[in-house]
Every structure is written in C-alpha cells, then in structure tokens.
Amino acid sequence: MKTFCGRANPTTGALDWVEESEEYDYHQEIARSCYADMLHDHDRNQKYYQGIRAAVSRVKARGVKVIVLDIGTGTGLLSMMAVSAGADLCYAVEVFKPMADAAQNIVKKNGFSNKIKIINKHSTDVTVGPDGDMQMKANVLITELFDTELIGEGALPSYEHAHLHLVQEGCEAVPHRATVYAQLVESELLWSWAQLQPIEVDGARLAPPPAVGICAGAHSVCDIQLSQVSPQSFTALGPLCTMFSVDFSKPVSSALQSYSAQFVAQSSGRAQVVLSWWDLDMDPSGSIVCTMAPSWTYQEPKTAPWRDHWMQSVYFLPVESRVTEGEELSLTVCHDDYSLWFDLKTHRQEECRAVAPPPRPCCTCQAHLVWNRPRFGELNDRHRTDSFVAALRSVLREDSVCLSISDGSLLPVFAHMMGAKKVHVHPQHKQKMVLEANSIQGGVDLLEVRPDQLTSTDLGGEQVSVLMGEPYFSTSLLPWHSLFFWFCRSAVAGLLKPDASILPCTATLQMVAVEFQDLWRIRAPCGTCEGFDVTAMDDMVQKSLDFRESREAEPHPLWEYPCRALTPAAGVMTFDFTQCVPQHPMVSEGSLPFVRSGRCHGVALWMEYNLTEDVTVSGGLIGPIGEQGECQWTPHRRQGVYFFRSPWDTTADARAGVSYTLTFEPSLGDIKMDFSIKSQ
C-alpha cells in the first residue's frame, strides 16, 4: 500500500507531497541504522563473549539450569554466544519487528532455534509464567542497551523493570558494571561550540548578548569522536575522576541521582568543559573491560578500537569560572532516567550548597535552541568571519540597501556596522538580541515575511542593491540543501536592482574519492561475526538500501572520520546565484582519475561558496590535500558521503577513475547522482 506524505523540501522550501510505500520509514531506519558498525566492533564482541562465558560458567557451577534473558538482542548475536557457552535456554527480546525477524532467521540458520526464543516486544511488556512470554525468570541477564551517554537509550528503566519482574534475585549480569569517568578542562575550541564570542568587524568589537553568556545552554550531550580532538586543543584542569558506577547484577533505580568527585586543581585556568566516557566491566572481578576511552589515553593510540555506536561525551558547564592551581574543587554529575549533566563548585561552595542536586541546564536565551553546536563554532570562526567581512567590504556602498537570507546569521549586523544605508533581515532569529546588546538602533529592519512573500512595501519601496547569505539554514542536512538560498534569490528577483551584488555569487559542488580509515565499517556487510553467520542482517540492510537509500548520499562530519583522498578534489557542478534558478535540469558528467593507491570506499561531497571573485569559503576541505592524501575538513559543516556497495582496490587498474553523472532537478530541489569505477 502507498500513501501521500507531506515532506518539507529543505532546498526549495516547499511542502512536497510524495507517494511513499508504507514501508518507507522503517526501510530508512534500517538503511541508516549502522548495525554493521556494532558487528564490526571486534573488541566489543570479544569482551561480551568472554563475559558471557564466565557468567554461564558461574551459574552452571551452582548446579542449576542457565536461563538467559537478552534484552535488545538485535541480530541475536549475544544470545547465540550464550547458548554456545552452555546456556540451556535464552529469551531474546527485540522490539523492532524487522530486526526481530532478522534475528529469527539468523538464529535458525545457525541451528539455535530450539534454545533461543525471539520475543518481539519491549522488555517492559514481557510476561513471565506458564502462559507468558517467558516460562520462568532468568538467572543470567545480558543487555546491550547503551548509547554514547550510557543511559540515553533507556537502559536504567529497562534494568529496573527486569530486576523487578524478569530475572531472579542474585542473577548474573553481562555486563556486570558500568563506570562513568569525567575530566574538567579548559578549551577555546570546545567552548566555542557553546557560547558566542566577541567578534572583531573592521576594527569594531561586536559583543555577544548578555543573555547568551549567562545561559546554561541546552542540556543535551555533545557526542563526538573525541579521539579526533587533539590533546593540544585543551588543558586538563583536574585528574580523570571516577564519577559513579552502576551494578547491573543488582536492582537498578532510574530515579534522579547525583554524585560528586573532590579533587585539587592541577592547573589554573577557565573551567568550561567536562570530557566524559565510560567503561563496561563484563565480570565482577573487573578483569574483562570494554572501555570507551579516546585513543589519546592509550600508550599506543593506534591500538585503540574504533567504534561509532559508542563515542565520547562533551558537556558544557552552565557558566565559565576561574580556578586556581591547588584549589579544592567538587565536580557533580546528575542523571535522571535518560541523561546526564554536570556542575562545578569550589570545596567551600560545595559545603554551603543545599542538599538538592544542581538543576538540569536549560536554555533561557533561545540561541542554543536555534544554533546547534557546530553553528556556534562557525559563528566563532575568526578566519571565516574575516572572509565575509572582506567580501562585504568589496560590495558595500554608503547607499547600499541589503537583504540577508540565512538562518541566525550575523551578516546583517556586519553590514550595518560597515556602513550600509539599510539592512533587511529574514529570518530574524537572534539578530535582535545582538543588535540590542551592541546598542545598534535603526538601520536594520527585521522582517516577518517569507522571501517568496516579500513585496516592495516590506522594503520601504527601495530596491535591494546587495543580497547576501552565508548560506546557512537549520533545516539543511546535505551540503546542497543550502541551495535554498538560490530559490529565495529567485523569489525576490523583482526586488533587486539590475546591478545588484549577490553574495555569494556562485557555489560549486566539490567531490573527491576517498579511502576511509574506519567509517567504511558502518556500511560494510559482516558475513560472519565471531563465528556466527549473520548474512540475514546483511541482506536486510541491503534490501532497505536498495529500496532507495543506496543511490543517495548521507551526511557525516568528516573531521571526525579520517580519510585519504585517492583522486584530486574537483568542482563538478557550479550554481550561478547571479541568475535565477533555471527551469530545466542541469547535468554534469565527467571522471576523476585515481592518483594514489588504496581502497576506495566512496565519494565525499561538499559545497564551496564564492562570496566574490576573490573570496571563497569552503564547507568541506579547508586545506590542500597532503602528499599521502591526508584531508583536513571544516568542523562546522557536515559533508555528503556516497558509499560504494563494495570497495575498489585502486592498484588493480592504474588507469581507473571515478566516473560521475550529476543531475540537478530544479523542480525537486535535489541532486540525483550516479558514481561508478571505470577504466580510463
């Protein structure tokens, strides 16, 4: 059955009604789920297997049957490990039906159907008894319910319910224990993701709104590949602290909890950020440990396992504070049933603090709800600001009437500070706060009307001489979604002077074929995992990819995922913003030769904006490609990644290259793409 679905088009801004299969949403969920990443995580799998063997052995030593409950079984891998280790029966719970069906097929294919029962329910709906889903309570509890923040997928409520209703008292749990660690640091780089910094514009200082500076910000975790954040970019103000542990073999509470760690400041500085990660002890003795610690904590960083399903966490303190070397400090972490937050106090403040734990941070300025963390970093990027100021300087005149089209942009404020006669802004998010904070009165008109509804009356009867945008839009997921600026430019064409300056004047879609160090794992089929055949999962994912996703790119912040360029980087399609959006499709074809040996996993794509003929800003590569193909990516924007179904060994054919056909469909506001490896 098919149905019409209304979907907001991030490029055209229109509400498109498209005919979709009723299976569309779950196919998308499967295609982008990255199940393969977990199965390729050999360190995780091996540690779980060791812990399961040990737990089964301990229960067998008591002379009783081993009854296992596996919550969130996924492919059924951990259940098969348990039966292989000697478990008598395993109840494998999986709420997502397509995954439960795949688990059923995998269990059958591996010959475990008589000992593993797949239960397609949420664990809190599972019943126990003669007529229940489980005939008896389990004495071994196996789970993989964790996310980067440990508890963000509802691990605590699930454990709480399981201990009350599904497992025996004194059960063995794998993992046995989780321990959360944290370290207080000062970091200009990381703090730039949380607070707007003062900005220099042509010798004048633009101050951030006070309401933003005192705002605790959004409480949600910033999960990143912390291994890609150089230790040189932060200063540790204290030691790595053990914040709290959760023993999963005992009853677990999902109620609000707080824990504090006291320590002496190792350095003087500004307390801004908390870096955090966790370990899993797979057995009670702590001899089998799976750690999420970043690679730079290892004596040999290259030996650190890579995983994307669990990363590390960055938490921003509610306020920045000065600490002095030798000062006694208290770092407090609180958690409810789904999230964590941190607070810092001096030892004296801690003694005076009321019994109540620090409240969850809450954004009161609204800026943290409009600007995400990469966006804060982008606004604080001095080099990027200088590029826009230089471009504005070349087009602004005393009589300039400007129209700005970008979400939450500071360009209209820059233009006003640089002497523009009048600046009209759409949309107006946060500009008013910045204007008031800097006592800027008049000259900037905050519009309430959408670009396609603007009239000459809205602009005071004046024609626009400078149309500007970054362009940045909060709804954009893929780089070319910023072409919304082009559609807006076309909508206001009748309001522009014939010689109006358009900034940026053009944009170019760039591409380079790459070999990923690790990111390829999220799309690579597994075949067998720890000796178990999981091809049914591979088939399920590929079926969902073939449903639509396999011919589309997906967004990834490539600064977190090292890769090597195997071809030159090149512009493959140009968009001329000085002209309106064309009525007919634009087609670009060509190829890029391989210039380095390696395994080509796919193509990276990004937009490069020519603000003027002389000033360019990149949404992708921000430096030349290194001799060995090293790439440096902007941390502010996500790039598009098109994965090949199978990697290509570039040494197999010295004349091979990546061929492409790109079609921009103006009516759809999308770019259809086809890439292939071909001999030249």
Side-chain angles (χ1 to χ4, degrees):
M1 178 179 176
K2 292 189 175 183
T3 183
F4 280 98
C5 301
R7 302 187 186 279
N9 188 309
T11 305
T12 65
L15 180 65
D16 295 336
W17 289 93
V18 293
E19 190 179 38
E20 297 288 14
S21 164
E22 62 182 1
E23 300 177 334
Y24 175 76
D25 287 333
Y26 90 70
H27 274 305
Q28 272 208 325
E29 185 170 346
I30 294 170
R32 298 295 186 232
S33 62
C34 302
Y35 286 119
D37 171 36
M38 292 184 280
L39 297 182
H40 281 296
D41 187 348
H42 179 66
D43 177 73
R44 160 198 176 268
N45 301 337
Q46 189 178 53
K47 301 293 175 55
Y48 260 101
Y49 211 166
Q50 292 171 1
I52 289 169
R53 288 193 189 102
V56 170
S57 296
R58 289 194 296 273
V59 174
K60 276 187 169 296
R62 302 172 194 164
V64 298
K65 284 188 174 182
V66 181
I67 310 300
V68 175
L69 172 61
D70 176 10
I71 299 179
T73 193
T75 60
L77 175 66
L78 303 185
S79 293
M80 293 189 294
M81 288 179 175
V83 172
S84 296
D88 296 282
L89 180 63
C90 184
Y91 296 105
V93 180
E94 175 56 51
V95 68
F96 187 42
K97 189 177 188 310
M99 197 70 245
D101 292 342
Q104 191 77 61
N105 292 334
I106 291 170
V107 165
K108 181 179 180 180
K109 192 168 188 177
N110 286 274
F112 294 113
S113 294
N114 61 329
K115 288 194 174 184
I116 297 177
K117 179 183 179 182
I118 305 296
I119 303 173
N120 180 208
K121 288 185 176 181
H122 193 284
S123 64
T124 56
D125 295 326
V126 171
T127 57
V128 179
D131 298 321
D133 301 305
M134 299 170 60
Q135 298 299 300
M136 65 202 79
K137 289 186 176 183
N139 50 23
V140 175
L141 174 60
I142 301 172
T143 60
E144 207 282 50
L145 300 171
F146 315 113
D147 69 348
T148 292
E149 204 172 13
L150 182 67
I151 65 173
E153 290 186 0
L156 294 182
S158 296
Y159 271 113
E160 186 174 41
H161 177 270
H163 276 286
L164 286 172
H165 302 286
L166 305 178
V167 300
Q168 301 172 21
E169 185 177 352
C171 77
E172 298 283 349
V174 182
H176 176 78
R177 179 191 306 111
T179 303
V180 174
Y181 303 94
Q183 186 168 35
L184 179 69
V185 304
E186 173 186 352
S187 173
E188 181 179 350
L189 170 66
L190 299 179
W191 191 242
S192 73
W193 298 351
Q195 292 291 349
L196 190 63
Q197 307 299 321
I199 300 172
E200 295 292 327
V201 180
D202 261 9
R205 184 176 185 272
L206 183 67
V212 178
I214 64 173
C215 178
H219 82 276
S220 58
V221 64
C222 177
D223 53 341
I224 63 173
Q225 291 284 357
L226 203 52
S227 295
Q228 300 307 314
V229 177
S230 168
Q232 281 69 51
S233 66
F234 61 85
T235 300
L237 302 180
L240 183 65
C241 299
T242 301
M243 298 307 300
F244 68 93
S245 294
V246 182
D247 188 338
F248 298 125
S249 64
K250 298 177 181 178
V252 171
S253 173
S254 61
L256 178 67
Q257 304 279 347
S258 66
Y259 309 87
S260 294
Q262 283 72 43
F263 60 93
V264 174
Q266 296 176 337
S267 306
S268 297
R270 296 170 296 164
Q272 301 168 324
V273 177
V274 175
L275 309 182
S276 181
W277 56 87
W278 45 268
D279 288 350
L280 293 177
D281 289 324
M282 295 298 181
D283 66 327
S285 69
S287 60
I288 308 169
V289 182
C290 185
T291 179
M292 305 308 119
S295 62
W296 37 258
T297 65
Y298 284 66
Q299 190 169 5
E300 294 292 336
K302 291 185 178 180
T303 64
W306 183 87
R307 46 178 69 97
D308 203 45
H309 52 103
W310 297 330
M311 294 185 278
Q312 295 79 38
S313 301
V314 173
Y315 296 91
F316 303 100
L317 291 174
V319 293
E320 177 186 79
S321 59
R322 282 277 177 185
V323 300
T324 305
E325 183 178 356
E327 186 176 10
E328 294 183 350
L329 302 173
S330 178
L331 183 65
T332 298
V333 63
C334 301
H335 74 75
D336 53 19
D337 49 350
Y338 281 92
S339 60
L340 280 67
W341 61 94
F342 286 83
D343 188 51
L344 180 72
K345 292 286 187 288
T346 64
H347 185 61
R348 181 168 297 180
Q349 288 173 321
E350 183 69 15
E351 290 177 343
C352 299
R353 185 165 64 180
V355 177
R360 180 203 305 271
C362 178
C363 178
T364 56
C365 71
Q366 305 302 309
H368 297 90
L369 304 180
V370 175
W371 295 329
N372 61 22
R373 276 138 186 164
R375 180 58 173 161
F376 268 100
E378 189 167 59
L379 293 172
N380 288 322
D381 186 325
R382 297 186 186 95
H383 176 74
R384 189 173 183 278
T385 294
D386 290 344
S387 295
F388 277 101
V389 169
L392 283 171
R393 189 184 299 119
S394 69
V395 299
L396 287 179
R397 304 291 182 266
E398 289 184 0
D399 61 348
S400 291
V401 175
C402 306
L403 173 61
S404 175
I405 299 175
S406 271
D407 282 357
S409 176
L410 298 180
L411 289 188
V413 185
F414 296 172
H416 175 77
M417 295 174 68
M418 296 173 68
K421 173 187 172 184
K422 188 70 176 180
V423 182
H424 302 280
V425 185
H426 176 86
Q428 58 163 308
H429 299 310
K430 300 306 121 200
Q431 283 93 342
K432 186 175 181 180
M433 290 177 62
V434 176
L435 294 170
E436 291 175 348
N438 291 273
S439 301
I440 298 175
Q441 304 295 329
V444 179
D445 178 29
L446 304 177
L447 301 171
E448 298 285 353
V449 184
R450 288 169 29 192
D452 60 345
Q453 296 176 338
L454 279 176
T455 66
S456 178
T457 303
D458 297 312
L459 304 181
E462 296 181 299
Q463 287 187 301
V464 174
S465 54
V466 178
L467 177 68
M468 56 188 177
E470 300 196 34
Y472 168 83
F473 303 99
S474 58
T475 56
S476 299
L477 294 176
L478 290 162
W480 43 95
H481 289 167
S482 62
L483 292 176
F484 179 55
F485 176 79
W486 201 10
F487 285 84
C488 291
R489 177 260 182 268
S490 301
V492 301
L495 304 177
L496 306 179
K497 285 186 174 181
D499 60 347
S501 297
I502 312 295
L503 188 158
C505 55
T506 62
T508 305
L509 180 65
Q510 303 276 329
M511 68 166 271
V512 63
V514 296
E515 174 187 52
F516 284 110
Q517 181 175 301
D518 295 296
L519 189 62
W520 60 270
R521 301 172 195 269
I522 70 172
R523 289 289 164 264
C526 297
T528 60
C529 180
E530 307 305 320
F532 301 100
D533 186 337
V534 294
T535 52
M537 195 249 359
D538 294 336
D539 295 340
M540 178 187 71
V541 172
Q542 191 57 58
K543 179 182 177 182
S544 291
L545 284 168
D546 289 342
F547 184 77
R548 178 173 301 173
E549 306 294 311
S550 63
R551 310 311 292 177
E552 296 180 358
E554 54 191 80
H556 289 284
L558 292 186
W559 73 270
E560 295 186 55
Y561 304 107
C563 60
R564 294 175 56 243
L566 301 181
T567 67
V572 292
M573 183 172 278
T574 297
F575 310 94
D576 186 356
F577 297 154
T578 65
Q579 305 296 319
C580 291
V581 176
Q583 297 296 312
H584 304 291
M586 295 169 52
V587 180
S588 177
E589 296 179 322
S591 63
L592 295 180
F594 288 122
V595 293
R596 296 178 186 87
S597 61
R599 289 173 63 80
C600 182
H601 295 115
V603 173
L605 303 118
W606 67 99
M607 296 291 279
E608 198 168 87
Y609 303 101
N610 301 304
L611 305 184
T612 64
E613 291 183 358
D614 303 317
V615 183
T616 300
V617 294
S618 175
L621 286 177
I622 54 175
I625 295 172
E627 289 186 9
Q628 302 302 314
E630 304 91 343
C631 298
Q632 184 182 1
W633 303 94
T634 175
H636 307 319
R637 303 244 178 153
R638 293 188 174 196
Q639 292 71 48
V641 178
Y642 181 104
F643 287 99
F644 291 128
R645 182 168 295 188
S646 301
W648 177 272
D649 186 351
T650 65
T651 59
D653 186 346
R655 299 177 301 166
V658 177
S659 295
Y660 60 85
T661 300
L662 304 172
T663 305
F664 173 61
E665 296 276 4
S667 60
L668 301 176
D670 198 9
I671 299 178
K672 294 182 179 180
M673 50 189 63
D674 182 48
F675 297 97
S676 60
I677 308 293
K678 292 184 179 178
S679 295
Q680 301 298 306

